[in-house]
Each structure stands twice: as C-alpha cells, then as structure tokens.
Amino acid sequence: EVWFTTKNKSGPECDLRNIPRAALEQMLTIAKCEIISSMSNSHVDAYVLSESSMFLSKRRIVLKTCGTTTPLDCLEKMIWLVKKFTGYDMVEDVFYSRKNFQRPDLQLSPYRSFEREVTTLDKFFVEGAAYCMGNLSR
C-alpha cells in the first residue's frame, strides 16, 4: 500500500486514477501478474489480477498479490508512473505486509525472507522502519 502526496498540497488535478490502464498493465508485468477485469466508481478503481487484486484511489495504490508475484519489483515503475501522470511528486507512506510462506524456497528473491524484502524497500525509502508482529519462524 503506497500513499502519495505533493510538495504543493494535493489539488483536484492530482489523482492516481489518471494513470492509463496500458501503463498499469506494463507495471504489473514487472510484478508478474496481469489485469483480468476491472470496475470503477467515483472513489476507487478496482482490478482483479491474475494473482490477487489492485485498488487505486485518489492518493493510494493497494497492490495485493499472492503466488510467485514480485510486487516490490514494480516499485520504481509505480513511482515513475505516478510522477508522470498524476501530479504527485512524493511518496507519503508505505505499508508492506506479508505472511510467512509454507514453501519460501518456491519464491523468487527477495521474497524468500522478510529481511531481504526490507533490504529492497530500504533502497527506496531510506527513512523507513520495519516491524515484525509475531514469530518470524511460523
């Protein structure tokens, strides 16, 4: 889940839903999933993906994935698309969560361990902080 803002305060012209579908499809290819269907209302665009779902609202992108998708791999493209199409120029907050995998050996790197995922996130968000709730070995 990524929240965006702008140094100039968000105005009516700033909206993540301005990102063209073709650009979102390219971004999701990097994450190894694709759009199956979509639905929109005045508050959110919702997408059913080949491996879960994505939601875009005015300021927030929620990308929920499963299987062997690689959502962190598309962060750079996501941020670039946001800056190009939406009027936002800053990431305000990032919330990344995951469950422990029953078969982490089937995941691509860095998704085999929480520590590796945090290292990947730290490359983008140097002032971030990672927290574990519960036991990492379960």
Side-chain angles (χ1 to χ4, degrees), residues 91-134:
V91 172
E92 183 174 31
D93 284 309
V94 175
F95 302 96
Y96 179 79
S97 63
R98 51 109 74 199
K99 291 190 167 251
N100 287 339
F101 295 109
Q102 290 181 355
R103 297 283 314 272
D105 55 305
L106 297 177
Q107 300 300 314
L108 300 172
S109 183
Y111 304 95
R112 293 181 181 148
S113 78
F114 181 65
E115 292 82 7
R116 288 183 183 164
E117 292 167 323
V118 170
T119 299
T120 300
L121 287 163
D122 285 345
K123 293 175 186 174
F124 291 94
F125 313 108
V126 293
E127 295 182 20
Y131 301 96
C132 174
M133 295 170 56

Side-chain angles (χ1 to χ4, degrees), residues 16 44-47 53-57 60-64:
L16 296 173
V44 67
D45 292 350
Y47 298 87
S53 52
M54 178 174 68
F55 304 92
L56 275 73
S57 60
R60 177 177 66 158
I61 296 176
V62 177
L63 179 57
K64 293 289 186 187

Side-chain angles (χ1 to χ4, degrees), residues 4 13 15-16 18-20 23 26 76-89:
F4 293 91
E13 69 284 348
D15 195 325
L16 296 173
N18 291 336
I19 300 172
Q26 289 175 347
E76 184 174 3
K77 182 72 167 187
M78 178 190 296
I79 293 167
W80 183 84
L81 290 173
V82 167
K83 288 180 179 178
K84 180 175 182 177
F85 292 108
T86 71
Y88 293 117
D89 55 13

Side-chain angles (χ1 to χ4, degrees), residues 21 35 37-41 44-48 53-56:
R21 181 176 170 140
I35 297 171
S37 67
S38 63
M39 179 178 257
S40 298
N41 63 29
V44 67
D45 292 350
Y47 298 87
V48 174
S53 52
M54 178 174 68
F55 304 92
L56 275 73

Side-chain angles (χ1 to χ4, degrees), residues 59-74:
R59 295 183 48 230
R60 177 177 66 158
I61 296 176
V62 177
L63 179 57
K64 293 289 186 187
T65 61
C66 60
T68 55
T69 55
T70 57
L72 296 178
D73 292 351
C74 74

